[in-house]
Amino acid sequence: KQEVTQIPAALSVPEGENLVLNCSFTDSAIYNLQWFRQDPGKGLTSLLLIQSSQREQTSGRLNASLDKSSGRSTLYIAASQPGDSATYLCAVGGTASKLTFGTGTRLQVTL
Amino acid sequence: EAGVVQSPRYKIIEKKQPVAFWCNPISGHNTLYWYRQNLGQGPELLIRYENEEAVDDSQLPKDRFSAERLKGVDSTLKIQPAELGDSAVYLCASSFPGTGSYEQYFGPGTRLTVT
């Protein structure tokens, strides 16, 4: 059974800092990996999706990497802003459709 | 392009009462998912549909939960009777496997409180 762990559980950084969120998974036989953002009381917004054959994906200030052999993914956020404050969830696709989620990292970016 | 639509957004019911949630996926997305998210946890899959067929319902508590997807578009998730432990956010998502990516798009969710 796939298990997904996200560290740290919570993170507070001052505005402008670069930061890295970590995700680890136990079964390296994955189809894809997706990073989501969730604001309080809201649904999930897809940020980046990495196929199993890819090593990284970039969108604006976000960069996600994938190392299947070590069972790890990172989400890098450059020049953080208060609007980045949210919970970030990592989800591993073990088959073509089924996602297993981590418990998330709650990020707060302070002024 | 409209996103995944869910209703209601919030629902408060007493235990033992029935409740139903509705989802309209993104147009053209033939794969539909229902997830349950408990407080402080990541979402967990309840059921997945390919068109109108439920292809993965292994995590659905079938004694009290049921779901349907008529005509392979809208879907309804029902709980009867509800228990206190069912309080959670129920999320619907959809994807279009034709791209090969299976990227999932989520709706805003229904927050259920059972008292």
Side-chain angles (χ1 to χ4, degrees), chain A residues 31-32 34 36 38 40-49 51 89 95-104, chain B residues 9-10 31 33 35 37 40-43 45 48 50 56 58-59 91 100-109 111:
Chain A
Y31 186 83
N32 59 27
Q34 208 166 341
F36 294 89
Q38 187 171 32
K42 302 291 181 61
L44 278 65
T45 301
S46 180
L47 298 174
L48 289 165
L49 179 141
Q51 300 290 2
L89 291 159
T95 64
S97 288
K98 184 171 183 176
L99 290 179
T100 301
F101 283 82
T103 55
Chain B
R9 292 294 314 279
Y10 306 92
T31 305
Y33 316 76
Y35 289 86
Q37 185 176 24
Q41 302 296 313
L45 181 69
R48 171 170 66 95
E50 295 287 348
D56 184 356
S58 57
Q59 300 302 311
L91 295 161
S101 72
Y102 289 94
E103 184 168 6
Q104 295 188 25
Y105 297 85
F106 282 75
R111 182 176 298 276

